[in-house]
């Protein structure tokens, strides 16, 4: 069965530090991959997506992610974190017209 | 509308009562999804509608849960005889069909926070 794992439940970084959130998926074919962010009390907002082509994709708010087929990974990165980035981050795979979400990683940002 | 709209935003109900949650998707989006998010948890898939096809109900946790989508637009999620464990945020999303069998991105509403007391 298709699945998405996010190994880190909670990550804390200092403002201005770099960030990498991990995502691994299990899916037989080339997947459609997504990263969403959920601020407290809000719905989910799309940060970026990968369908095909260049494996390094740029998103909103200065985020990027790299698709690595050999590692079945789609890690999210940001070179310099801002306090407003504190939120829950979800990785998702598009599977047969549905979406499978990972459990999420909560990001805390220290001043 | 401009985005996915869900109502009510908050609902407090007594155990054993029925509740209806409403989702109004983005105009033209043929796919509609319901997810449940319990406190501190990820998204649990409940049900998926795609156009006029039979819905995928594989995620509904019990027969107390049901959903319908009228006219291919608005959807209602109904929970009968609510239990305390039903307390969660219920998220609705919609999307356009993508290439082949794949959808594009999902657009989410703000959710309905259900509290069963």
């Amino acid at each position: 069965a298709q699945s998405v794992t996010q190994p880190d439940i909670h990550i804390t970084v200092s403002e201005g530090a770099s960030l990498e959130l991990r995502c691994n998926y299990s899916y037989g074919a080339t997947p459609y991959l997504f990263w969403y962010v959920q601020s407290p009390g809000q719905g989910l907002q799309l940060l970026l997506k990968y369908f095909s082509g260049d494996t390094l994709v740029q998103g909103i708010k200065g985020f990027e992610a790299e698709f690595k087929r050999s590692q079945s990974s789609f890690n999210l990165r940001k070179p310099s974190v801002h306090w407003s980035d504190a939120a829950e981050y979800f990785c998702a795979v598009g599977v047969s017209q549905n979406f499978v979400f990972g459990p999420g990683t909560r990001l805390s940002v220290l001043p | 509308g401009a985005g996915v709209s869900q109502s009510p935003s908050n609902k407090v109900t007594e155990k054993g009562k029925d509740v209806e949650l409403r989702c109004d998707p983005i105009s033209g989006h043929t796919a509609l999804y319901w997810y449940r998010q319990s406190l501190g948890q990820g998204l649990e898939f409940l049900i998926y509608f795609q156009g006029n096809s039979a819905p995928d109900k594989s995620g509904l946790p019990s027969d107390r849960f049901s959903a319908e989508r009228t006219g291919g637009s608005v959807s209602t999620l109904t929970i009968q005889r609510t239990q305390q464990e039903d307390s969660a945020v219920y998220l609705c999303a919609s999307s356009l069909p993508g290439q082949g069998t794949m959808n594009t991105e999902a657009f989410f509403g703000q959710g309905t926070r259900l509290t069963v007391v």
Side-chain angles (χ1 to χ4, degrees):
Chain A
Q2 299 84 10
S3 66
V4 178
T5 56
Q6 294 179 245
D8 304 304
I9 297 173
H10 184 202
I11 285 182
T12 300
V13 300
S14 297
E15 190 169 19
S18 63
L19 171 70
E20 181 169 29
L21 302 182
R22 296 182 290 164
C23 172
N24 293 94
Y25 63 90
S26 172
Y27 184 55
T30 300
Y32 285 17
L33 296 161
F34 308 84
W35 273 100
Y36 284 86
V37 61
Q38 185 180 34
S39 298
Q42 302 295 311
L44 276 71
Q45 179 185 22
L46 181 72
L47 284 176
L48 47 79
K49 59 189 177 186
Y50 171 78
F51 288 172
S52 65
D54 193 346
T55 56
L56 183 64
V57 293
Q58 302 297 319
I60 63 171
K61 305 185 180 184
F63 285 92
E64 67 177 27
E66 185 171 13
F67 169 57
K68 293 186 177 180
R69 183 187 304 277
S70 62
Q71 299 177 16
S72 296
S73 69
F74 189 56
N75 293 350
L76 181 71
R77 300 194 294 250
K78 186 170 184 177
S80 179
V81 170
H82 188 263
W83 64 265
S84 60
D85 293 326
E88 188 89 19
Y89 291 80
F90 293 94
C91 181
V93 172
V95 178
S96 299
Q97 301 185 345
N98 206 334
F99 299 90
V100 176
F101 284 84
T105 296
R106 184 161 62 94
L107 174 66
S108 297
V109 181
L110 299 175
Chain B
V4 177
S5 177
Q6 291 188 247
S7 61
S9 55
N10 281 282
K11 176 71 176 179
V12 180
T13 189
E14 292 181 351
K15 178 181 174 181
K17 294 288 181 71
D18 297 353
V19 294
E20 287 189 350
L21 311 180
R22 176 189 169 102
C23 173
D24 199 343
I26 294 173
S27 178
H29 281 195
T30 57
L32 187 148
Y33 313 81
W34 283 99
Y35 294 89
R36 178 169 70 175
Q37 186 176 29
S38 301
L39 186 62
Q41 302 297 310
L43 275 71
E44 175 188 5
F45 166 73
L46 297 177
I47 188 169
Y48 159 63
F49 297 88
Q50 174 64 283
N52 295 321
S53 303
D56 177 355
K57 304 179 182 180
S58 60
L60 294 178
S62 77
D63 58 8
R64 296 186 296 104
F65 288 73
S66 63
E68 63 177 21
R69 189 178 185 190
T70 55
S73 181
V74 173
S75 176
T76 302
L77 177 69
T78 302
I79 309 174
Q80 296 178 310
R81 306 181 302 281
T82 52
Q83 304 295 314
Q84 288 187 330
E85 60 263 29
D86 300 334
S87 296
V89 175
Y90 289 82
L91 292 166
C92 176
S94 69
S95 72
L96 285 167
Q99 297 180 355
T101 60
M102 306 301 289
N103 274 333
T104 57
E105 65 194 78
F107 293 81
F108 282 83
Q110 301 282 42
T112 293
R113 181 176 298 278
L114 175 66
T115 304
V116 182
V117 298

